[in-house]
């Protein structure tokens, strides 16, 4: 049964409070019972002290010295707080008794050598509190004095107390539940307010935030966490919108160029050379379009699932990549391993290959053909490091904070001559975040760029 949180909280609090109240009631009853019995035993002790002085041993038999004492009202009658007395020998045989006992006998605990012991018993139709006292001659127990007093009034008081507590308990439970329900309702009001406000926030008003409460408590922390989540969602949505806009623009430009070339060609007959030039221009735009699509696919793949991580020889991978560039493009990249031993890293081979390819290609792309490009690897504090340095055009300081954004290209005259989509570094950053690789870029305009990768231990 799915109960509202307010009701469940009320039930939990009421149950816990009910257990405490029950323990308090049991303690009250126990204390009352102990107090009444203790008072009764004190009265019996005083009574036995009086009667012990009237008992002596004569010819090995126990007798009262003043028999007239037994003629008193408290020993003759069975009402008005009578005192019952019985004397037995060590085996429990009755030697004498008070007249008010009649044919009845008081309870006797055999083999009990304690000087005083109290216990309850039923005599006829009433409950008595009895005290058994050992009568000694020297160190020998000759018999026992049994003194009893009615426990009816005390029992009635205890029964009344039990009834009152029994009747009070459900009333207290109901009162506790209603009180806890009221307090639980008040305690979750801030949560309800947060829920209502959160329901009003949608894609159209994602800039709105939930007001923070005045008290810096758990509700404040919850509200703060939700607002932080909304901030991240808003930023992610803005990046997605910007990405979509930039992607549309980047795709639309080569398509417009291709469309324009075809429209020019079909307007009227052209020379063969012009057809060839227009088609070549179209092919260049198609190649650019393919490059953008490939980069977009790589960016999408970098955001999917967990990667297969295994040990990779970093130096071997860099060397293979440099050899491939030399064979295909004729450009030379200087490689240096500062460590005497091979440098191994735990990473994903395909992702790491994409990272290194993009970074080295960027270094080549933005540097003159005769300038030096170097790749250096080494070990430091149990971590593997890789640095790619070039002597190219460099990056403005103001642009360094945006270079990992998709489609971002620094607004400089030099970049107009360099083909690119602005997705390379964005893909590198995404893959580095997935692999736990820290990437940093230091650059100075006109003096080149240094990219450093720090691999996890």
């Amino acid at each position: 049964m799915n109960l509202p949180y307010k009701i469940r909280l009320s039930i939990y609090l009421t149950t816990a409070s009910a257990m405490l109240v029950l323990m308090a009631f049991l303690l009250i009853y126990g204390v009352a019972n102990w107090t009444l019995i203790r008072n009764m035993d004190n009265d019996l002790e005083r009574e036995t002290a009086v009667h012990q002085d009237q008992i002596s041993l004569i010819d090995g038999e126990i007798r009262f010295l003043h028999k007239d004492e037994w003629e008193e009202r408290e020993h003759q009658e069975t009402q008005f707080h009578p005192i019952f007395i019985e004397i037995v020998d060590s085996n429990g045989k009755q030697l004498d008794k008070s007249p008010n006992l009649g044919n009845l006998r008081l309870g006797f605990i055999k083999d009990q050598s304690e000087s005083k012991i109290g216990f309850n018993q039923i005599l006829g139709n009433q409950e008595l509190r009895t005290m058994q006292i050992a009568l000694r001659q020297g160190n020998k127990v000759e018999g026992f004095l049994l003194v009893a007093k009615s426990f009816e009034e005390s029992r009635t008081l205890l029964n009344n107390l039990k009834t009152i507590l029994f009747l009070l308990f459900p009333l207290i439970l109901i009162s506790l539940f209603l009180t806890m329900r009221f307090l639980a309702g008040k305690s979750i009001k801030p949560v309800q307010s947060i829920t209502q406000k959160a329901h009003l926030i949608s894609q159209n008003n994602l800039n709105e935030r939930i007001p923070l409460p005045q008290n810096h408590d758990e509700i404040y922390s919850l509200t703060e966490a939700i607002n932080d989540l909304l901030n991240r969602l808003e930023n992610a949505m803005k990046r997605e919108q910007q990405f979509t806009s930039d992607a549309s623009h980047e795709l639309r430009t080569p398509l417009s160029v291709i469309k324009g070339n075809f429209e020019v060609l079909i307007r009227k007959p052209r020379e063969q050379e012009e057809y060839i030039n227009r088609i070549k221009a179209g092919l260049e735009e198609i190649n650019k379009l393919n490059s953008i699509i490939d980069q977009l696919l790589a960016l999408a793949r970098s955001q999917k699932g967990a990667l297969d991580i295994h040990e990779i020889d970093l130096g071997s991978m860099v060397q293979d990549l440099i050899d491939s560039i030399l064979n295909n493009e004729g450009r030379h990249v200087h490689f240096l391993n500062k460590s005497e031993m091979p440098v191994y890293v735990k990473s994903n081979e395909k992702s790491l290959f994409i990272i290194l390819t993009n970074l080295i290609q960027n270094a080549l792309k933005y540097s003159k053909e005769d300038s030096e490009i170097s790749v250096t690897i080494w070990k430091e504090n149990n971590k593997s490091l890789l640095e790619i340095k070039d002597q190219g055009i460099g990056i403005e300081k103001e642009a360094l904070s945006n270079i990992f954004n998709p489609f971002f290209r620094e607004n400089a005259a030099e970049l107009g001559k360099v083909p690119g989509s602005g997705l390379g570094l964005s893909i590198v950053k995404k893959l580095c975040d997935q692999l736990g690789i820290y990437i940093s870029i230091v650059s100075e305009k006109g003096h080149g760029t240094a990219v450093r990768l720090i691999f996890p231990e």
Side-chain angles (χ1 to χ4, degrees), residues 84 106 120-121 123 126-130 148-151:
F84 303 94
L106 296 177
N120 284 21
Q121 69 173 104
L123 184 67
Q126 66 176 320
E127 184 178 2
L128 303 179
R129 179 68 179 175
T130 304
K149 191 175 180 180
S150 176
F151 197 73

Side-chain angles (χ1 to χ4, degrees), residues 58-163:
I58 302 175
D59 297 331
E61 294 183 357
I62 301 175
R63 291 288 186 269
F64 277 99
L65 296 179
H66 302 288
K67 192 71 173 178
D68 294 340
E69 176 67 22
W70 288 35
E71 301 299 329
E72 290 183 0
R73 180 182 179 186
E74 60 181 357
H75 301 317
Q76 292 287 348
E77 300 179 2
T78 57
Q79 290 80 25
F80 305 105
H81 309 289
I83 301 295
F84 303 94
I85 300 176
E86 184 177 357
I87 304 170
V88 298
D89 62 14
S90 58
N91 295 319
K93 180 181 178 182
Q94 188 182 72
L95 300 178
D96 209 342
K97 64 178 180 177
S98 59
N100 56 8
L101 273 176
N103 295 325
L104 301 175
R105 293 198 60 184
L106 296 177
F108 169 69
I109 301 177
K110 196 174 181 180
D111 300 328
Q112 179 57 254
S113 59
E114 295 286 339
S115 59
K116 295 178 182 179
I117 180 171
F119 55 91
N120 284 21
Q121 69 173 104
I122 301 298
L123 184 67
N125 59 353
Q126 66 176 320
E127 184 178 2
L128 303 179
R129 179 68 179 175
T130 304
M131 180 164 286
Q132 179 175 313
I133 304 160
L135 299 175
R136 301 175 183 272
Q137 185 69 23
N139 294 327
K140 183 180 179 182
V141 177
E142 295 289 346
F144 295 91
L145 171 64
L146 304 174
V147 181
K149 191 175 180 180
S150 176
F151 197 73
E152 288 297 314
E153 288 188 2
S154 299
R155 180 58 64 192
T156 301
L157 179 61
L158 288 174
N159 288 338
N160 289 339
L161 178 62
K162 187 190 296 183
T163 302

Side-chain angles (χ1 to χ4, degrees), residues 21-36:
V21 171
L22 180 60
M23 288 189 290
F25 279 7
L26 292 175
L27 181 62
I28 292 171
Y29 183 82
V31 170
N33 184 67
W34 179 84
T35 302
L36 290 174

Side-chain angles (χ1 to χ4, degrees), residues 178-363:
L178 295 177
T179 303
M180 295 301 178
R181 188 171 181 270
F182 172 74
L183 294 177
K186 290 195 68 175
S187 65
I188 66 172
K189 266 190 175 181
V191 179
Q192 292 175 335
S193 176
I194 293 173
T195 304
Q196 292 173 357
K197 181 63 177 178
H199 282 154
L200 297 176
I201 298 176
S202 64
Q203 182 179 354
N204 299 325
N205 60 341
L206 200 56
N207 61 324
E208 293 189 15
R209 295 296 177 264
I210 300 173
L212 293 172
Q214 294 181 350
N215 297 326
H216 287 251
D217 51 12
E218 290 80 1
I219 303 299
Y220 185 95
S221 300
L222 173 64
T223 308
E224 204 171 34
I226 294 175
N227 286 338
D228 289 342
L229 175 62
L230 291 174
N231 286 333
R232 293 194 297 272
L233 288 175
E234 183 182 11
N235 292 333
M237 185 165 289
K238 286 180 179 178
R239 287 195 300 270
E240 182 181 350
Q241 291 173 348
Q242 184 65 39
F243 176 83
T244 304
S245 175
D246 293 341
S248 300
H249 174 74
E250 292 293 331
L251 292 174
R252 189 181 296 113
T253 300
L255 289 174
S256 299
V257 173
I258 295 172
K259 180 183 177 183
N261 286 334
F262 287 164
E263 287 176 347
V264 169
L265 291 178
I266 63 174
R267 283 178 186 168
K268 62 179 181 179
R270 307 279 178 175
E271 297 290 333
Q272 183 178 359
E273 184 178 352
E274 187 173 354
Y275 279 111
I276 293 174
N277 291 335
R278 292 286 182 177
I279 292 173
K280 284 182 177 179
L283 289 174
E284 289 179 1
E285 295 299 325
I286 290 173
N287 290 332
K288 183 179 179 181
L289 194 62
N290 283 333
S291 176
I292 294 174
I293 292 173
D294 290 340
Q295 297 277 46
L296 288 175
L297 289 175
L299 185 61
R301 291 193 195 101
S302 69
Q303 300 175 352
K304 288 185 178 180
L307 299 174
D308 178 29
I309 305 297
H310 53 275
E311 197 170 62
I312 299 171
D313 185 345
L314 184 60
S316 177
M317 174 178 282
V318 172
Q319 189 62 60
D320 291 343
L321 183 57
I322 290 175
D323 292 341
S324 174
I325 292 173
L326 181 62
N327 293 332
N328 295 330
E329 302 180 27
R331 297 285 300 272
H332 177 71
V333 177
H334 178 70
F335 172 60
L336 173 63
N337 182 359
K338 290 183 179 180
S339 301
E340 296 180 358
M341 303 293 292
V343 177
Y344 291 94
V345 295
K346 285 192 174 182
S347 189
N348 178 267
E349 188 170 0
K350 291 183 178 179
S351 298
L352 185 56
F353 183 80
I354 294 174
I355 292 172
L356 297 178
T357 300
N358 275 315
L359 293 178
I360 295 176
Q361 287 291 348
N362 272 356

Side-chain angles (χ1 to χ4, degrees), residues 310-315 318 335-339 341-347 352 356 375-388 432 435-440 451-457:
H310 53 275
E311 197 170 62
I312 299 171
D313 185 345
L314 184 60
V318 172
F335 172 60
L336 173 63
N337 182 359
K338 290 183 179 180
S339 301
M341 303 293 292
V343 177
Y344 291 94
V345 295
K346 285 192 174 182
S347 189
L352 185 56
L356 297 178
V375 180
T376 308
I377 62 173
W378 70 97
K379 296 283 289 187
E380 185 177 303
N381 297 328
N382 293 328
K383 291 185 178 181
S384 302
L385 291 88
L386 181 144
E387 187 175 67
I388 301 172
C432 284
L435 297 171
I437 301 172
Y438 175 75
I439 180 171
S440 63
V451 181
R452 178 171 292 187
L453 301 180
I454 303 177
F455 295 84
E457 294 183 19

